[in-house]
Amino acid sequence: MDMLMGDQIAAAHLTDWRKLAQGLHARYLIDDFGAGARFVVAVGEAGDALGHHPRVSIGTGYIDLELVSDDAIYRDDDGTEYVVEWVTQQDVDLARRITSIAADHGLDADPASVSEIELGLDTARSATIAPVWAALLTGSAESQGRGTPGDEIRDATVRVPNLWFEEADQHEAPRQRFHLEVYVAPEAVEPRVAAALAAGGTIVDDSDSPSLTVIADQDGNKAVIATKG
């Protein structure tokens, strides 16, 4: 299936879900593990009917779900097709079904609390260094370029955050090259930035806020608070 653009996802009006990085994310609040397990069983049956399933994790008082297709089609400006990890129509269809299932189970969504962490590394030689990071992070060479047309490192089992590479000048002065990408729901940006500032952080760049806000700690180490991939 073709990957969906941001405006197409927004037009679906998925009230329980937020698009962060590559996928759709939702959190549902549960009273106990048993209630969560029953909900997951129902979600699994719905996924069986559609031939597609979410990533699921259960914690104390919540269930986190992520919907992403590993066979989405991306076309570049030249019309070349790539198979990537991204949101497709099947994710939107299953998200709607899960929202209905959650309502049937009396579960409330907490969309403002969803989050996703990715690593960014500035480099002029991503093709050269990517195999090292694939080995370090996942132990598998297949994780390099998995689900992306670039050299990005993505673990098939989602044990570690994605690592992507930002093009940088090979001859620039040494500086911080690693940074975190912290994806949050749009309604969580302002309180998240405020909390960072209250803790002593400073805003380095908010020219693209609220989509992207660069925050630095007291030592000058930077991170990005983002709302979309």
Side-chain angles (χ1 to χ4, degrees):
M1 291 186 180
D2 287 348
M3 62 183 290
L4 297 182
M5 299 296 102
D7 56 346
Q8 294 173 298
I9 297 171
H13 301 295
L14 303 174
T15 55
D16 290 1
W17 300 78
R18 297 292 181 268
K19 166 65 168 57
L20 305 179
Q22 291 78 39
L24 296 173
H25 297 256
R27 169 168 287 190
Y28 290 99
L29 305 179
I30 55 175
D31 292 330
D32 53 57
F33 190 90
R38 289 188 292 273
F39 173 59
V40 170
V41 169
V43 168
E45 292 172 349
D48 289 343
L50 293 176
H52 187 51
H53 297 88
R55 297 167 179 167
V56 180
S57 62
I58 302 179
T60 302
Y62 68 88
I63 291 181
D64 284 345
L65 304 173
E66 179 184 7
L67 284 166
V68 61
S69 296
D70 60 9
D71 56 356
I73 301 300
Y74 162 71
R75 296 178 182 84
D76 65 16
D77 294 338
D78 296 327
T80 303
E81 293 187 354
Y82 301 90
V83 178
V84 300
E85 291 182 337
W86 202 261
V87 175
T88 67
Q89 188 60 47
Q90 67 179 353
D91 298 301
V92 170
D93 293 341
L94 185 52
R96 287 198 179 103
R97 181 68 188 118
I98 292 173
T99 295
S100 177
I101 293 170
D104 292 342
H105 283 246
L107 302 183
D108 293 325
D110 186 13
S113 69
V114 297
S115 184
E116 179 85 341
I117 300 293
E118 292 193 343
L119 301 172
L121 177 57
D122 297 340
T123 179
R125 303 186 298 161
S126 63
T128 300
I129 69 173
V132 176
W133 288 103
L136 285 171
L137 293 175
T138 73
S140 172
E142 294 180 358
S143 63
Q144 179 181 346
R146 181 184 176 277
T148 169
D151 290 312
E152 187 169 323
I153 310 302
R154 295 184 185 175
D155 178 22
T157 63
V158 202
R159 293 168 299 179
V160 296
N162 291 344
L163 169 63
W164 59 273
F165 302 100
E166 179 74 25
E167 187 66 25
D169 185 349
Q170 187 172 2
H171 301 291
E172 64 189 0
R175 59 183 179 84
Q176 179 188 354
R177 294 192 179 270
F178 262 116
H179 65 274
L180 291 177
E181 297 278 328
V182 183
Y183 292 90
V184 299
E187 61 266 41
V189 171
E190 185 175 343
R192 185 67 63 93
V193 170
L197 297 181
T202 56
I203 294 177
V204 176
D205 185 358
D206 60 358
S207 58
D208 291 324
S209 180
S211 297
L212 295 169
T213 304
V214 182
I215 302 290
D217 66 14
Q218 294 89 332
D219 285 342
N221 300 304
K222 302 179 183 68
V224 177
I225 297 177
T227 62
K228 60 183 181 181

